[in-house]
Amino acid sequence: MERIKKAENEWLGVWIAAGVVLMLLLIYLGIALFFSTHFLPGTVINGVAVSGDDIKGVEEKILQEVEKYKITLKAREGKEETLAGVDIGIVPIFDGSLEEELQKQNCLAWPAALFEETAIEVATMVDYNEEMLKNRVSRLKLMNAAVMKKPKNAQISEYSEKDMFTIVPEEDGTVIRKKKLLKSLNHAITNLQDDLSLEEEGCYKEPEITADSKELKTLRDELNHYVKTKVTYQFGEEEEVLDGGEISKWISVNDERHVEISREQIAAYVERLADTYDTAGKTKKFKTSYGKKVDIEGGDYGWRIDREKETEALAALIAEGREEVREPEYEKRANNPGRKDYGDTYVEVNLTAQHLIYYKNGQMVLESDFVSGNEAKGWSTPTGAFGLYYKERNRTLRGQGYASPVSFWMPFNGGVGFHDAKWRGSFGSDYYKQRGSHGCINLPYSAAKSLYDNIEEGCAILVYTLPGSEGATPQI
């Protein structure tokens, strides 16, 4: 009996399970049958949720959406503007497309649809008047050209001492691409979207050059290569520093986006250096051995920058982006750097006193009377600052009507120079006024020899007049 009862219980369990399965199957098929005429859960058609709706229900929802439709345009700078459906002639279109979409869905897959969303776009579900839309868009405040801000390309900054040249980022602007906006609106309206982000849709005219531009970065680096140059010119105790602040003014960018350095600006800078620091040919403030100061004008002794060579050298330094402490290329040099170019080794020639003094390294080596150029005949010795050309033994000096052999010849101004004059019995006084030379400085033999033995080529010769120093004694 127990075995029979156990068997009966087992069969009862089987029948109950079968019944449950059958009931579930019937429920499943019943729901599937429902969704054969209704849209599956999670279905969205052109932005309208239509889960469980039949065709008529969907049409009613779409009609309601169309009647109250408006779309908000979200622009840059937080601005917004709204388009109403009535302003663009929006209407629903029911041409069988909904039925086609319903037939496409698999009603038997309704359980899976419970856990996912299905977005359907029907191209012909909504229509609008294109001309009305174009006209309405043209009247948008956002489309007012007067208030639109043009986009700005990324560019190279002005030079700054701290950061040199940098890249200034692009600025987006608010200029709208009308064709792109209309295209985006077409998609948004047919899908009954509530809003449209002009930024996300790419409706703005963008800058052509951005801060990520490889070409712009290369240009920045090229500019910075040049302005990192630093040249320190030394002129005795003075110095002149050329750095990026000045060089940046000489730089331009050509049509091929390459950097060009103005050779004219470099030459002009070298010219300014020469005007400031050249001493050759410029008046020299000189304190005489007689206790008074004189301005020595004329002559060509001193420093003179070789403008062409220094322009070339400076252009090469800038091209290499180098730092360097240097003195410029000179076409004329002096014995001492700076403005006191004659230093402490020079021959002081006082034409008024007819007396000279030779200082070497600050020490008096020689002083002597002399006879200078004949004043009465217009052969006066020129004043000025000169440099000794050279020195020569046993030379015959020739000119119109004379040939004078000398033992020591030391020219410093064309054909004017120091030499011995054995034919003279006296020196100094005022002999030069009536019985002077053809312009040279005539010295006693011993003085000429001493000067010759001690002086070197290039030594400064300072020739001046000092009224009131006739017969005066130098304060040595």
Side-chain angles (χ1 to χ4, degrees), residues 127-265:
D127 197 9
Y128 60 88
N129 188 303
E130 291 187 7
E131 287 303 314
M132 290 178 68
L133 177 64
K134 288 179 181 179
N135 290 335
R136 182 65 184 90
V137 167
S138 297
R139 289 185 282 110
L140 288 171
K141 293 179 182 179
L142 298 172
M143 295 300 296
N144 185 349
V147 299
M148 286 184 184
K149 298 177 183 178
K150 293 182 179 180
K152 293 183 180 180
N153 288 331
Q155 59 184 340
I156 302 297
S157 70
E158 296 292 326
Y159 173 83
S160 77
E161 184 177 347
K162 179 182 178 182
D163 301 316
M164 299 193 293
F165 289 103
T166 58
I167 293 177
V168 179
E170 69 277 8
E171 294 181 16
D172 290 329
T174 58
V175 176
I176 297 173
R177 299 158 58 200
K178 187 174 180 180
K179 287 185 178 180
K180 175 59 178 174
L181 175 57
L182 289 171
K183 183 178 180 180
S184 297
L185 277 171
N186 174 69
H187 181 270
I189 293 170
T190 54
N191 282 278
L192 298 175
Q193 288 180 210
D194 294 328
D195 54 60
L196 177 72
S197 169
L198 276 60
E199 181 87 53
E200 294 176 3
E201 290 294 320
C203 294
Y204 287 104
K205 184 177 181 181
E206 301 293 348
E208 296 177 358
I209 302 174
T210 69
D212 293 328
S213 165
K214 184 177 180 181
E215 180 184 17
L216 200 61
K217 290 179 179 179
T218 298
L219 181 59
R220 174 203 59 195
D221 294 343
E222 190 176 355
L223 286 165
N224 286 335
H225 169 77
Y226 293 121
V227 297
K228 72 180 182 181
T229 303
K230 184 177 182 180
V231 181
T232 303
Y233 286 101
Q234 293 188 326
F235 302 94
E237 295 181 354
E238 297 180 82
E239 67 177 26
E240 185 90 11
V241 178
L242 172 66
D243 56 21
E246 181 68 21
I247 295 171
S248 64
K249 302 173 185 176
W250 307 345
I251 294 176
S252 61
V253 179
N254 62 25
D255 293 339
E256 286 74 39
R257 306 285 288 175
H258 290 299
V259 177
E260 292 182 343
I261 306 295
S262 170
R263 184 59 62 94
E264 291 76 15
Q265 292 276 22

Side-chain angles (χ1 to χ4, degrees), residues 12 14 77 83 123 125 152 187 189 199 264 293 310 317 328 340 356 365 367 389 402 408-409 419:
L12 179 60
V14 170
E77 300 179 344
L83 286 176
M125 191 175 75
K152 293 183 180 180
H187 181 270
I189 293 170
E199 181 87 53
E264 291 76 15
K293 294 180 179 180
E310 185 55 30
L317 283 174
K340 190 181 177 183
L356 67 75
V365 174
E367 66 171 321
Y389 295 161
Y402 74 91
F408 307 99
W409 171 234
H419 62 78

Side-chain angles (χ1 to χ4, degrees), residues 62-77:
I62 292 174
L63 182 60
Q64 291 173 3
E65 291 290 328
V66 168
E67 288 176 347
K68 65 180 182 180
Y69 181 71
K70 61 182 179 180
I71 183 169
T72 300
L73 305 182
K74 295 186 175 181
R76 285 175 175 168
E77 300 179 344

Side-chain angles (χ1 to χ4, degrees), residues 37-52:
T37 57
H38 295 73
F39 286 97
L40 290 171
T43 301
V44 178
I45 299 179
N46 287 39
V48 178
V50 295
S51 299

